[in-house]
Amino acid sequence: MDDDQRTPLRPRHRPCASCPYRRSVASGIWAASEYEKLPCYDGDVPEQLAHREQAVRVFTCHQSGQEVCSGWLAHREPGDLLAVRLGVSDGRLDPACLEHSTDVPLFASGRDAAEHGLRDVDAPDARARLAIDKITSVRSRTDHPLS
């Protein structure tokens, strides 16, 4: 399919149960590299440009891979995210991304979410291991399994 014919990505309705921005998620369920991406989206646009390679990338849902992460969009004003502005302007993202919000409690910043997630990444507790096993099982049956 030609890029011009691709359907724009829409936001996931709500943050998934394992969303790294969700305050209720267990610590350490994702790889450290996933958490390390989150602070790149903090700050105003010039601050995001300091992390240009990551900050221009749309953060897709870890569960579906086919929708924009609801927690990422809603943890701040979506229009303040450089990747959202660029994605909507070039047609990769549905304009609904600019209006997305949720009532799910989220970390206020990518830095806060990353600190929480990284805390137990080397020794996830039982709740985190259960989530990891579930994610691995579900994703093994999709086009984007975990390695």
Side-chain angles (χ1 to χ4, degrees), residues 21-121:
Y21 284 97
R22 200 183 251 269
R23 294 188 67 83
S24 62
V25 73
S27 175
I29 64 173
W30 298 108
S33 61
E34 292 300 303
Y35 294 115
E36 290 164 356
K37 295 174 185 178
L38 305 182
C40 297
Y41 299 105
D42 289 349
D44 58 21
V45 169
E47 289 172 294
Q48 291 174 56
L49 282 171
H51 305 280
R52 179 178 167 71
E53 188 174 322
Q54 183 61 44
V56 298
R57 293 185 180 165
V58 171
F59 202 79
T60 56
C61 175
H62 283 89
Q63 290 293 342
S64 76
Q66 306 300 312
E67 298 165 294
V68 181
C69 173
S70 176
W72 174 69
L73 283 172
H75 87 282
R76 62 180 300 171
E77 278 296 318
D80 291 343
L81 292 162
L82 178 60
V84 171
R85 290 183 189 186
L86 294 172
V88 169
S89 71
D90 70 14
R92 289 179 294 135
L93 295 183
D94 188 291
C97 291
L98 289 168
E99 304 298 322
H100 186 73
S101 65
T102 184
D103 59 356
V104 173
L106 303 171
F107 287 103
S109 71
R111 182 160 320 285
D112 291 347
E115 286 175 4
H116 169 75
L118 287 167
R119 185 188 67 223
D120 297 332
V121 78

